[in-house]
Amino acid sequence: MNFSLTPAQLQVQAQARAFARNRVAPLTREMDEQGEMPLSLIQEMATTGLLGGPMPKEYGGGGWDAVSLALCYEELGRVDSSVRGFMTVHTSLVSQCILQWGTETQKQTYLPQLARGELIGCYCLTEPNAGSDAASMESTAALSGGDGYIINGEKIWITNGGIAHLGIVFANADRSLKHKGICAFLVPTDADGFHREKMPGKELGHRASDHAHIHFENMPVPKTALLGNHGDGFKVAMSALDGGRLGVAAGALGVAQACLDACVDFARTRRQFGQRIGNFEMIQATLADMAADVDATRLLVYRAAWLRDQGEKAARETSIAKLFATEAAVKAANEAVLLHGGRGYSNEYPVERYYRDIKGLQIYEGTAHIQRIVIARELLGRE
Ligand code: CAA
């Protein structure tokens, strides 16, 4: 067993860490307050080689392995979950999904442009009545005279949906077949009948993320837009989520590490009762528990990524990583706010944002309940 990172992985880690610290960190507070991420930052992520990192070189990517991608998400997540979330949707849910399921023409058409950030991607699965129960989606794809489909329906909470140029859209062509009727389509967001607006309300966290409510109104799509075969859509969606969930787990690892870093720093410098608060055993116990959780999370996240690199099916290990990482990070953020006292309760210190952001990671790309379902089904089998 070898726990060392390779020189190539260390290089990606250093590159992502430098980008997160130098380019993202100075913007986090402003982005959180203004509720958006500058498009110029997305362009920088592309030119730095992050957006296309895991794409093969022939499609304009950096040829990273899954461990490298996890390291990149960890470093971005350590600084800003909205930025990490943007990239996970664009790169893991969209580009990697096209790489796995696309025809050669689709790959050549979209992947280099996605890697260069000329196209932004979004993944349109969730609906008002189909969140955790994704297979019960109500959007329909009706065959239209043999040369294409007409899509009608509605999607909510679509990350990047307001700024994306390309969506992977899931709709059911025959609801009597349940999940076997679902098809996946590659749809330009300027297609006739594609309407989008910002989600109403102000989110608890991830305030710089773009979340859209999308309607499809008699939207025509050609058969060439099918991603995978007719009826493969549910498998396309689930396999993409295997990659996305790993990205969320790695991002949560970054948040947990950021909480630990902030707490160690604060415990060393904050003085009460005539000494640094880190001298108190209750503070030491908090830091030690947090450090143990961060280590365990890191091992689970890297294992799931390593398994992907071995070409193994890692849905169970990915769900374990996402479940454990998000719960550990929720706990770390909770403790971090407490340890910072009054300062932790204001945006003077970033732990307040970690506390608000992390709840989202426990919900999107499959809630903690859904991860437990995936794990339990692997243990018990299906009756
Ligand atoms: N990879 C490939 N295929 C898979 C798979 C995977 N990981 N998981 C399941 N499948 C296949 C199964 O093998 C099965 O195939 P057959 O029909 O050939 O037998 C088929 O899919 C149906 O599987 P299930 O019977 O397990 O399906 P289910 O309806 O019971 O659902 C579930 C399983 C795990 C609960 C699933 O619905 C699920 O993951 N729900 C959560 C949805 C989710 O994560 N939504 C997040 C949306 S994206 C987002 O949040 C952020 C954003 O902005 C993009």
Side-chain angles (χ1 to χ4, degrees), residues 89 93 123 125-126 131-132 134-135 157-159 179-180 234-235 238-239 241-242 245 364-366 370 374 377 382:
V89 171
L93 288 185
Y123 173 89
L125 181 70
T126 302
S132 289
W157 286 116
I158 305 306
T159 306
H179 71 271
K180 290 185 196 292
F234 196 69
K235 284 188 200 308
M238 290 298 119
S239 63
L241 283 168
D242 285 343
R245 287 170 183 168
Y364 58 63
E365 303 207 25
I370 291 297
V374 173
R377 280 183 181 175
R382 302 285 286 273

Side-chain angles (χ1 to χ4, degrees), residues 32-53:
D32 186 60
E33 281 170 358
Q34 296 195 343
E36 62 182 7
M37 191 183 306
L39 288 175
S40 57
L41 186 67
I42 294 171
Q43 269 317 311
E44 274 191 69
M45 289 170 87
T47 46
T48 313
L50 302 188
L51 291 190

Side-chain angles (χ1 to χ4, degrees), residues 99-121:
L99 183 67
Q100 181 178 353
W101 291 92
T103 61
E104 195 47 45
T105 306
Q106 289 171 334
K107 290 189 222 179
Q108 281 176 12
T109 305
Y110 295 117
L111 294 181
Q113 291 192 76
L114 287 161
R116 290 195 296 268
E118 291 160 10
L119 294 180
I120 292 173

Side-chain angles (χ1 to χ4, degrees), residues 61-300:
W64 298 353
D65 59 13
V67 171
S68 300
L69 182 59
L71 291 166
C72 175
Y73 288 144
E74 178 186 344
E75 293 302 327
L76 292 178
R78 203 165 163 180
V79 171
D80 193 295
S81 287
S82 295
V83 173
R84 196 276 313 147
F86 164 84
M87 181 170 160
T88 303
V89 171
H90 176 91
T91 301
S92 291
L93 288 185
V94 177
S95 298
Q96 289 191 306
C97 183
I98 296 173
L99 183 67
Q100 181 178 353
W101 291 92
T103 61
E104 195 47 45
T105 306
Q106 289 171 334
K107 290 189 222 179
Q108 281 176 12
T109 305
Y110 295 117
L111 294 181
Q113 291 192 76
L114 287 161
R116 290 195 296 268
E118 291 160 10
L119 294 180
I120 292 173
C122 67
Y123 173 89
C124 307
L125 181 70
T126 302
E127 299 187 355
N129 296 319
S132 289
D133 184 9
S136 71
M137 70 177 61
E138 293 168 354
S139 290
T140 55
L143 276 162
S144 64
D147 56 351
Y149 297 81
I150 301 288
I151 298 183
N152 279 288
E154 177 181 11
K155 302 283 175 180
I156 55 169
W157 286 116
I158 305 306
T159 306
N160 305 346
I163 53 173
H165 308 92
L166 178 72
I168 299 184
V169 172
F170 298 92
N172 203 323
D174 184 348
R175 293 195 67 205
S176 69
L177 296 177
K178 301 194 172 151
H179 71 271
K180 290 185 196 292
I182 294 174
C183 302
F185 300 94
L186 287 166
V187 181
T189 55
D190 62 0
D192 284 346
F194 189 112
H195 306 294
R196 54 185 166 177
E197 62 202 9
K198 210 171 160 38
M199 285 296 289
K202 189 166 186 175
E203 292 92 342
L204 174 67
H206 277 79
R207 291 197 172 153
S209 292
D210 175 83
H211 295 132
H213 185 174
I214 297 177
H215 294 261
F216 310 119
E217 198 185 342
N218 295 323
M219 181 175 75
V221 290
K223 274 195 170 159
T224 51
L226 263 177
L227 182 62
N229 292 322
H230 179 100
D232 276 347
F234 196 69
K235 284 188 200 308
V236 173
M238 290 298 119
S239 63
L241 283 168
D242 285 343
R245 287 170 183 168
L246 183 53
V248 178
L253 166 61
V255 175
Q257 180 69 59
C259 290
L260 179 61
D261 296 343
C263 288
V264 168
D265 194 41
F266 195 73
R268 280 197 180 123
T269 52
R270 172 73 172 155
R271 298 188 74 78
Q272 287 292 274
F273 305 100
Q275 53 191 310
R276 63 176 193 175
I277 63 166
N279 287 355
F280 298 114
E281 285 182 9
M282 270 194 271
I283 302 290
Q284 291 173 3
T286 298
L287 296 179
D289 287 350
M290 215 184 275
D293 271 354
V294 168
D295 263 19
T297 300
R298 183 166 284 118
L299 291 173
L300 288 174

